[in-house]
Amino acid sequence: MDFRSSRRPIRIGCGCLTLSAAPYDEALINADDLIIRRIDPVQHIILDQNRNCRRISSKAYKPSSGPDAGMSVDIEALIVAAGVVPQAFVTTPKFTGSVSFAASAIRALGLWVGYEPIPGNPHHGEVWGNPQANKFTSAQNRALTAGAQWYVQIPNVELA
Amino acid sequence: MRSGSVQNSAFQQYASTVGATDSNVVALPGSGARAVLPGHSAAEWGDALTSRLNELTSLPKGWDGYAGRPVLFTTARFAAELLERLYDAAVAPPSLVPGSDGTLQIEWHANQYDIEIDVLGPYKVQASRFDHLAGVDEDLDLEADVTPLAQWISDLAADRSALAVVA
């Protein structure tokens, strides 16, 4: 087995409590696995007068600023393995649009993607910067913005 | 989101104490007539941004479908002060976009510029500007001195039509 890192989230008891380890890249996430990022149809959308359109803000693709924080995502393969329809999962409990990236595309930018289950979302993951988890360079952020594909489309909104 | 909070939120009360009260309606000398100057009044900026900042500081936990939190009041307050400094009557109010972590991004996409000012906290700003006509990227990390941003905003109002033809 190809371990990119030995650091993994640790599940305790019933799996409803998880202690997260340091940021890492998950070897079990295959290159062509889809990584889903939810997009709020109101908060993440801006008017781009240069292109005369409404589109997703780059802020939607920036990591959180806390230590070891990254960019929250959903791991499609985990959702499917649980017998859940992914498009239904990422639009519950509130509707959001969403975009997706192939894991390989994220890694090609020098970023890590790993499991990070949280209460209420066992299929949650994170995209982390490397070497600094909570920092994407401008180039990485722009590449994510440009490389996103609709997963659950928001009407009348452009991707980038 | 708290109901009935628009008029009574702490941010709304704070916001009423900042921001210029200038209007773009002026009296014409000698005639007593009044005229509306073209552009965006400080009141227009103030009303739009106060309402939006009030909304962002009242976002419910999990607003982004994950563990998103509302914009922190201290961050919103600093952003309001920053915007007061950057106000330019020739420029429309910006878009404000929340981060999942209580931060917010101020952005304009106009006049073939993309300006994004990521307010990570008071006196902690990461700003970027892309010039579509020149193909030039600029990145700034700012704390107390936000002077470069004022020039960026001024450039948003500049006539670039000649450059656009060349490009």
Side-chain angles (χ1 to χ4, degrees):
Chain A
M1 186 175 292
D2 175 19
F3 285 97
R4 291 185 178 87
S5 169
S6 61
R7 296 171 295 181
R8 293 166 180 261
I10 302 166
R11 294 187 181 275
I12 295 178
C14 63
C16 55
L17 172 65
T18 301
L19 297 179
S20 295
Y24 77 109
D25 191 82
E26 174 58 62
L28 295 179
I29 296 176
N30 298 319
D32 55 358
D33 283 353
L34 285 185
I35 309 303
I36 304 166
R37 171 66 177 167
R38 303 189 199 196
I39 304 295
D40 187 278
V42 174
Q43 304 302 338
H44 284 141
I45 309 303
I46 54 94
L47 174 64
D48 188 331
Q49 292 179 282
N50 292 324
R51 297 181 48 218
N52 195 29
C53 70
R54 296 171 66 240
R55 65 166 176 84
I56 301 171
S57 165
S58 68
K59 186 64 168 173
Y61 303 116
K62 292 187 176 179
S64 293
S65 52
D68 287 346
M71 180 180 75
S72 282
V73 294
D74 300 271
I75 310 296
E76 186 192 53
L78 293 180
I79 303 170
V80 170
V84 178
V85 176
Q87 287 82 357
F89 183 79
V90 297
T91 53
T92 307
K94 62 166 285 189
F95 173 79
T96 60
S98 51
V99 298
S100 66
F101 310 86
S104 59
I106 292 173
R107 290 172 175 142
L109 299 176
L111 301 172
W112 280 350
V113 56
Y115 299 147
E116 181 82 357
I118 58 175
N121 189 352
H123 317 305
H124 182 263
E126 291 279 334
V127 174
W128 288 288
N130 180 21
Q132 186 175 343
N134 61 358
K135 174 76 174 170
F136 297 170
T137 64
S138 295
Q140 289 170 330
N141 181 251
R142 291 194 181 101
L144 287 172
T145 304
Q149 299 296 316
W150 280 120
Y151 194 77
V152 175
Q153 188 168 0
I154 300 171
N156 303 314
V157 171
E158 301 294 325
L159 284 164
Chain B
M1 187 175 293
R2 283 169 278 163
S3 62
S5 64
V6 173
Q7 296 302 319
N8 299 313
S9 72
F11 187 82
Q12 191 80 10
Q13 291 167 10
Y14 168 77
S16 66
T17 68
V18 301
T21 57
D22 298 335
S23 167
N24 60 342
V25 178
V26 297
L28 298 177
S31 68
R34 295 161 67 82
V36 178
L37 294 176
H40 305 273
S41 70
E44 177 191 346
W45 269 54
D47 289 346
L49 297 175
T50 298
S51 176
R52 180 61 174 149
L53 288 168
N54 185 38
E55 178 186 0
L56 295 179
T57 54
S58 303
L59 287 172
K61 186 172 167 56
W63 63 265
D64 59 349
Y66 300 111
R69 57 191 297 191
V71 172
L72 295 174
F73 181 86
T74 51
T75 299
R77 182 171 58 189
F78 176 77
E81 293 170 346
L82 175 61
L83 286 164
E84 185 181 13
R85 283 198 59 190
L86 295 179
Y87 165 70
D88 187 318
V91 175
S95 298
L96 303 182
V97 182
S100 299
D101 54 351
T103 63
L104 77 90
Q105 181 161 289
I106 302 166
E107 48 190 289
W108 288 267
H109 303 277
N111 206 17
Q112 298 303 307
Y113 286 114
D114 292 326
I115 295 176
E116 296 174 354
I117 303 172
D118 204 354
V119 183
L120 304 181
Y123 305 103
K124 191 175 180 185
V125 173
Q126 294 176 347
S128 67
R129 180 173 75 165
F130 179 65
D131 182 340
H132 288 267
L133 295 181
V136 173
D137 256 322
E138 298 171 81
D139 291 303
L140 298 171
D141 284 327
L142 303 169
E143 294 180 351
D145 182 11
V146 295
T147 305
L149 298 181
Q151 183 58 54
W152 285 7
I153 303 310
S154 178
D155 291 345
L156 273 179
D159 180 0
R160 311 186 79 202
S161 53
L163 291 174
V165 170
V166 170

